[in-house]
Amino acid sequence: ARAEARGGCQTTGDAPAVALIADQFVAALLVPYAQTLRVAGAPHRVVGAAVRSYQLFNEPAYATTLLREFSQLTPEFEMMWLFTQGAPGIWNFGVMDAFVDFAEQHGLQVQGTPLVWDMFMAPFAENPDGPELRVALEAHVRALVARYRGRIASYIVVNEAIFGPQLRRNVFLDRLGPGYIADAFRWAHEEDPDAVLFFNNFGMEGISATSDF
């Protein structure tokens, strides 16, 4: 009322002007929520997504969403042992090369995953004795990290190796002993000293026997 008395109030007779003011006011309120995840995280946080290459290269809407919202891409399966070296010494880098090329072309980081995991292993790596498995595992880790040295910013080196208050039983622990974890990190670091190396596990988000291990 005081504004109207001073002559500074829009009345219902000025409906278009009032509507414009209302629209501008609402738009200003929504600005913080209109940011993409990528913009909201910058410059101090990397916002990543697990990505499947088939959808990335064949579904435009999928790729568009990734480029708009995320600053880091993680190959969901493409770097697994089964898909990169299905037989001894026979490597298939084609899909990962295309994945990394795509990320670089669009200014995105890549996180490699995982170098050591007892899932999606190549059949030839599941049955050898300890010395043979160690040779195969070292060759696998070194070959992947060396190929993408300086292009992949970080890796999950060892995945899901803890269960409850102890190391999880798997082919690596059974045949190589607990030192396989440190070995894998050392091999990866030697091939790319600048890469950030992670250990990943389930059940560590809260307080538990696993998180306290």
Side-chain angles (χ1 to χ4, degrees), residues 124-143:
F124 80 88
E126 294 179 342
N127 300 314
D129 58 18
E132 187 178 351
L133 176 59
R134 179 183 171 84
V135 170
L137 181 63
E138 180 176 358
H140 175 73
V141 172
R142 288 188 181 278

Side-chain angles (χ1 to χ4, degrees), residues 81 85 91 114-118 121 124-125 128-145 157-158 170-173 175-177 179-185 187-188:
W81 201 332
Q85 190 191 184
W91 295 90
L115 299 176
V116 181
W117 192 26
D118 61 325
M121 291 181 63
F124 80 88
D129 58 18
E132 187 178 351
L133 176 59
R134 179 183 171 84
V135 170
L137 181 63
E138 180 176 358
H140 175 73
V141 172
R142 288 188 181 278
L144 285 173
V145 179
V157 178
V158 178
N170 59 39
V171 63
F172 305 114
L173 182 64
R175 298 177 189 173
L176 304 179
Y180 82 90
I181 297 175
D183 286 339
F185 275 87
W187 297 331

